[in-house]
Amino acid sequence: MSAWLLSLCLHEFGHAWVAWKGGDDAILETGYLTLDPRHYIDPMFSVVMPMIFLMIGGIGFPGGSVLINRARLRSRAWQSAMSAAGPAMNGLFLIALMAFYQLCSEEAEGLRLAIAAAAFVQCTALVLNLLPIPGLDGYGILQPWLPDTVQAIGGKIAVYSGVILVGLFLVSSSFGQALSRAGFAMAIAAGFEHSDIVFGCHAMRLW
């Protein structure tokens, strides 16, 4: 749980840091570069909802929301880089978990389960965040290169992205199952044992 909260902060730190480097100097005044989730503009969807989704279903629900002025960024490439920086931080965090997992002895079973579960959550977060849905980073990477009319429509949809995702999880069981399968495949490809992921996720859930 603590690993997931840390990764939420690192994810948003990545967005903020690249935005700052890309020209949004106002980031320095917001506190977004301090890894402090209390500065996020929407605490409910930034921290509370992702933690609840993690406890209920073991899914890396997108969290954290920092206020970035895209108009201040120097180019469309910087805008795309800013959106990509969040998932990139999840990827770096996953690499760190891979290293800890390999260094962890077979006797430390509980620790191995915790690391494997944390890695699975990072994998699901990566897959989910990179979907080209308005409000998610996958769409944010593409957004600067889309026609203005498409961006205008996407901006209206992005306001309800959290509600749309919750609805997809609640209404369509296949959506959550597909996300879990993709997360499992990625975690196994990264070197984590299937049994460690399964037992780790069961231990993490509320029931």
Side-chain angles (χ1 to χ4, degrees), residues 94 98 102 123 181-194 197:
L94 176 61
M98 290 166 58
Q102 295 300 325
C123 291
R181 285 195 295 268
F184 267 110
M186 185 181 294
I188 291 172
F192 295 91
E193 294 290 338
H194 182 274
I197 300 171

Side-chain angles (χ1 to χ4, degrees), residues 138-164:
Y139 175 80
I141 295 170
L142 300 174
Q143 179 182 342
W145 313 95
L146 298 175
D148 292 340
T149 52
V150 177
Q151 291 191 43
I153 296 172
K156 295 178 181 178
I157 297 175
V159 177
Y160 306 100
S161 60
V163 177
I164 292 173

